[in-house]
Structure formats: C-alpha cells, structure tokens
Amino acid sequence: MEPHTKTARAHIALAVLYALLFLGFLFLVANGEYDLTHASVLLPLVVFLAVVGAHALAGWGARQRAGWARVLSIVIGALMLFGFPLGTLIGAYLIYNGTRDWALPKAPGPSYADR
C-alpha cells in the first residue's frame, strides 16, 4: 500500500476516534451528572472539533496526494509524539509515511522526454 493511502487511513481512523470521544463528552455534559459551567464545556468542545477537523482534512488531502497534507501530517505527527506511549507510535507512523514519496506514478507509455 502506498504511503499516502496509509497516512489517509490513519488520519480518518483518528478523526473517527476523536469524534467518538467528542460524542462521549457531549453525553456526559448532557447527562447532567457533573456541575459544569458553560466555559468549562466550551474549551474541550472547541479542541475536540479542531482535532477532528485537522485529522479529517489531513486524511482527505492525503488521499489527493496534496503537498499541504503532507506537511500537515508531519506537523500532527510531531505533536502526537508527546502523547506517550500510543501517541508516540502513531506520531512516528504519520511522520514516517509523510516523509516518503507521495508523487503520482508515471503514466504508462512513452513520454515527451523519450522522443
């Protein structure tokens, strides 16, 4: 499997994981067991949505082999290195696949340079 596909799948899986954690947090807030103020709920919601959005965007861009998605994957991977031990492994995986070649394969047949 090509590195851009591996990176895209990892980002989509992480986006789904964080979205499920986001829904769990919303459930806890809506359940009302905890005495939370609006300010204490707003920041985690914004952070969860930003993380889900960043992973979804990086996954979509990786599928398209976009250069900006490569940079975003490496940056996200570098930030994940601080989440020892699982985040470190996932971050290293994203960095490794982000630094590999995402170039489009050459089209079959003779090219203009071959003439």
Side-chain angles (χ1 to χ4, degrees):
M1 188 179 320
E2 297 185 28
H4 75 281
T5 304
K6 291 179 182 179
T7 303
R9 287 184 178 183
H11 279 299
I12 296 301
L14 288 169
V16 168
L17 174 69
Y18 282 117
L20 290 174
L21 290 172
F22 173 74
L23 291 174
F25 180 75
L26 281 179
F27 175 76
L28 289 176
V29 169
N31 196 13
E33 284 188 33
Y34 301 100
D35 186 26
L36 300 173
T37 63
H38 293 296
S40 64
V41 173
L42 185 60
L43 181 63
L45 292 179
V46 170
V47 170
F48 270 117
L49 288 177
V51 170
V52 169
H55 279 295
L57 184 65
W60 176 78
R63 285 257 184 232
Q64 309 300 319
R65 298 179 192 225
W68 58 265
R70 239 178 133 162
V71 173
L72 183 58
S73 293
I74 293 170
V75 169
I76 290 172
L79 292 173
M80 290 187 74
L81 290 176
F82 294 106
F84 186 80
L86 192 57
T88 302
L89 294 173
I90 296 170
Y93 182 77
L94 290 175
I95 291 171
Y96 173 73
N97 283 311
T99 56
R100 295 181 61 206
D101 188 22
W102 284 16
L104 292 171
K106 289 181 68 176
S111 68
Y112 183 76
D114 294 336
R115 295 182 188 179

mmCIF file of all heavy atoms in Angstrom, residues 60-77:
data_model
loop_
_atom_site.group_PDB
_atom_site.id
_atom_site.type_symbol
_atom_site.label_atom_id
_atom_site.label_comp_id
_atom_site.label_asym_id
_atom_site.label_seq_id
_atom_site.Cartn_x
_atom_site.Cartn_y
_atom_site.Cartn_z
ATOM 1 N N TRP A 60 -8.241 13.673 3.995
ATOM 2 C CA TRP A 60 -8.753 13.987 2.656
ATOM 3 C C TRP A 60 -7.613 14.446 1.744
ATOM 4 O O TRP A 60 -7.516 14.008 0.597
ATOM 5 C CB TRP A 60 -9.835 15.062 2.758
ATOM 6 C CG TRP A 60 -10.338 15.492 1.424
ATOM 7 C CD1 TRP A 60 -11.214 14.835 0.624
ATOM 8 C CD2 TRP A 60 -9.963 16.675 0.722
ATOM 9 N NE1 TRP A 60 -11.421 15.532 -0.529
ATOM 10 C CE2 TRP A 60 -10.662 16.676 -0.493
ATOM 11 C CE3 TRP A 60 -9.116 17.735 1.013
ATOM 12 C CZ2 TRP A 60 -10.530 17.690 -1.432
ATOM 13 C CZ3 TRP A 60 -8.990 18.742 0.079
ATOM 14 C CH2 TRP A 60 -9.684 18.716 -1.117
ATOM 15 N N GLY A 61 -6.744 15.307 2.258
ATOM 16 C CA GLY A 61 -5.626 15.790 1.458
ATOM 17 C C GLY A 61 -4.631 14.690 1.119
ATOM 18 O O GLY A 61 -4.065 14.675 0.022
ATOM 19 N N ALA A 62 -4.429 13.766 2.043
ATOM 20 C CA ALA A 62 -3.510 12.657 1.773
ATOM 21 C C ALA A 62 -4.044 11.767 0.665
ATOM 22 O O ALA A 62 -3.284 11.266 -0.166
ATOM 23 C CB ALA A 62 -3.278 11.846 3.042
ATOM 24 N N ARG A 63 -5.344 11.562 0.630
ATOM 25 C CA ARG A 63 -5.942 10.786 -0.472
ATOM 26 C C ARG A 63 -5.681 11.445 -1.822
ATOM 27 O O ARG A 63 -5.526 10.777 -2.824
ATOM 28 C CB ARG A 63 -7.443 10.655 -0.279
ATOM 29 C CG ARG A 63 -7.841 9.700 0.755
ATOM 30 C CD ARG A 63 -8.322 8.434 0.099
ATOM 31 N NE ARG A 63 -8.797 7.565 1.157
ATOM 32 C CZ ARG A 63 -8.399 6.334 1.298
ATOM 33 N NH1 ARG A 63 -7.587 5.802 0.443
ATOM 34 N NH2 ARG A 63 -8.842 5.614 2.287
ATOM 35 N N GLN A 64 -5.643 12.791 -1.818
ATOM 36 C CA GLN A 64 -5.421 13.546 -3.050
ATOM 37 C C GLN A 64 -3.930 13.741 -3.357
ATOM 38 O O GLN A 64 -3.593 14.365 -4.350
ATOM 39 C CB GLN A 64 -6.094 14.927 -2.946
ATOM 40 C CG GLN A 64 -7.536 14.903 -2.525
ATOM 41 C CD GLN A 64 -8.403 14.123 -3.475
ATOM 42 O OE1 GLN A 64 -8.250 14.219 -4.681
ATOM 43 N NE2 GLN A 64 -9.312 13.324 -2.930
ATOM 44 N N ARG A 65 -3.072 13.248 -2.467
ATOM 45 C CA ARG A 65 -1.617 13.408 -2.567
ATOM 46 C C ARG A 65 -1.204 14.875 -2.556
ATOM 47 O O ARG A 65 -0.250 15.284 -3.231
ATOM 48 C CB ARG A 65 -1.073 12.737 -3.833
ATOM 49 C CG ARG A 65 -1.280 11.268 -3.883
ATOM 50 C CD ARG A 65 -0.742 10.699 -5.169
ATOM 51 N NE ARG A 65 -1.183 9.349 -5.346
ATOM 52 C CZ ARG A 65 -0.393 8.360 -5.735
ATOM 53 N NH1 ARG A 65 0.864 8.586 -5.976
ATOM 54 N NH2 ARG A 65 -0.872 7.158 -5.877
ATOM 55 N N ALA A 66 -1.900 15.677 -1.799
ATOM 56 C CA ALA A 66 -1.612 17.114 -1.736
ATOM 57 C C ALA A 66 -0.367 17.374 -0.900
ATOM 58 O O ALA A 66 -0.159 16.744 0.143
ATOM 59 C CB ALA A 66 -2.804 17.847 -1.145
ATOM 60 N N GLY A 67 0.447 18.311 -1.340
ATOM 61 C CA GLY A 67 1.667 18.660 -0.623
ATOM 62 C C GLY A 67 1.383 19.256 0.743
ATOM 63 O O GLY A 67 2.097 18.992 1.709
ATOM 64 N N TRP A 68 0.343 20.075 0.845
ATOM 65 C CA TRP A 68 -0.009 20.679 2.138
ATOM 66 C C TRP A 68 -0.444 19.616 3.137
ATOM 67 O O TRP A 68 -0.235 19.765 4.328
ATOM 68 C CB TRP A 68 -1.085 21.745 1.977
ATOM 69 C CG TRP A 68 -2.355 21.264 1.360
ATOM 70 C CD1 TRP A 68 -2.701 21.339 0.040
ATOM 71 C CD2 TRP A 68 -3.444 20.616 2.017
ATOM 72 N NE1 TRP A 68 -3.941 20.781 -0.159
ATOM 73 C CE2 TRP A 68 -4.417 20.326 1.040
ATOM 74 C CE3 TRP A 68 -3.693 20.244 3.333
ATOM 75 C CZ2 TRP A 68 -5.617 19.688 1.342
ATOM 76 C CZ3 TRP A 68 -4.880 19.605 3.631
ATOM 77 C CH2 TRP A 68 -5.830 19.336 2.646
ATOM 78 N N ALA A 69 -1.068 18.524 2.644
ATOM 79 C CA ALA A 69 -1.496 17.451 3.541
ATOM 80 C C ALA A 69 -0.289 16.706 4.096
ATOM 81 O O ALA A 69 -0.312 16.223 5.228
ATOM 82 C CB ALA A 69 -2.425 16.489 2.817
ATOM 83 N N ARG A 70 0.754 16.635 3.301
ATOM 84 C CA ARG A 70 1.994 16.024 3.763
ATOM 85 C C ARG A 70 2.573 16.810 4.926
ATOM 86 O O ARG A 70 2.958 16.246 5.954
ATOM 87 C CB ARG A 70 3.002 16.057 2.612
ATOM 88 C CG ARG A 70 3.505 14.765 2.200
ATOM 89 C CD ARG A 70 4.420 14.994 1.058
ATOM 90 N NE ARG A 70 5.584 14.211 1.360
ATOM 91 C CZ ARG A 70 6.464 13.865 0.491
ATOM 92 N NH1 ARG A 70 6.377 14.258 -0.740
ATOM 93 N NH2 ARG A 70 7.461 13.123 0.841
ATOM 94 N N VAL A 71 2.627 18.125 4.753
ATOM 95 C CA VAL A 71 3.156 18.990 5.813
ATOM 96 C C VAL A 71 2.266 18.908 7.044
ATOM 97 O O VAL A 71 2.758 18.787 8.172
ATOM 98 C CB VAL A 71 3.270 20.444 5.298
ATOM 99 C CG1 VAL A 71 3.653 21.390 6.431
ATOM 100 C CG2 VAL A 71 4.271 20.526 4.163
ATOM 101 N N LEU A 72 0.956 18.946 6.843
ATOM 102 C CA LEU A 72 0.015 18.854 7.964
ATOM 103 C C LEU A 72 0.164 17.521 8.695
ATOM 104 O O LEU A 72 0.140 17.472 9.921
ATOM 105 C CB LEU A 72 -1.413 19.046 7.471
ATOM 106 C CG LEU A 72 -2.513 19.055 8.527
ATOM 107 C CD1 LEU A 72 -2.270 20.153 9.555
ATOM 108 C CD2 LEU A 72 -3.870 19.222 7.870
ATOM 109 N N SER A 73 0.349 16.440 7.958
ATOM 110 C CA SER A 73 0.531 15.118 8.584
ATOM 111 C C SER A 73 1.793 15.071 9.419
ATOM 112 O O SER A 73 1.797 14.496 10.520
ATOM 113 C CB SER A 73 0.598 14.032 7.507
ATOM 114 O OG SER A 73 -0.621 13.905 6.856
ATOM 115 N N ILE A 74 2.862 15.667 8.913
ATOM 116 C CA ILE A 74 4.120 15.677 9.658
ATOM 117 C C ILE A 74 3.979 16.532 10.926
ATOM 118 O O ILE A 74 4.457 16.153 12.001
ATOM 119 C CB ILE A 74 5.275 16.159 8.760
ATOM 120 C CG1 ILE A 74 5.531 15.116 7.664
ATOM 121 C CG2 ILE A 74 6.536 16.415 9.562
ATOM 122 C CD1 ILE A 74 6.471 15.578 6.571
ATOM 123 N N VAL A 75 3.296 17.678 10.817
ATOM 124 C CA VAL A 75 3.098 18.545 11.983
ATOM 125 C C VAL A 75 2.230 17.842 13.026
ATOM 126 O O VAL A 75 2.551 17.837 14.226
ATOM 127 C CB VAL A 75 2.483 19.897 11.559
ATOM 128 C CG1 VAL A 75 2.014 20.693 12.770
ATOM 129 C CG2 VAL A 75 3.486 20.695 10.743
ATOM 130 N N ILE A 76 1.133 17.222 12.590
ATOM 131 C CA ILE A 76 0.267 16.491 13.522
ATOM 132 C C ILE A 76 1.043 15.339 14.157
ATOM 133 O O ILE A 76 0.953 15.096 15.357
ATOM 134 C CB ILE A 76 -1.001 15.989 12.811
ATOM 135 C CG1 ILE A 76 -1.914 17.158 12.456
ATOM 136 C CG2 ILE A 76 -1.753 14.985 13.681
ATOM 137 C CD1 ILE A 76 -3.101 16.785 11.586
ATOM 138 N N GLY A 77 1.824 14.629 13.344
ATOM 139 C CA GLY A 77 2.634 13.533 13.869
ATOM 140 C C GLY A 77 3.638 14.008 14.900
ATOM 141 O O GLY A 77 3.846 13.356 15.926
#
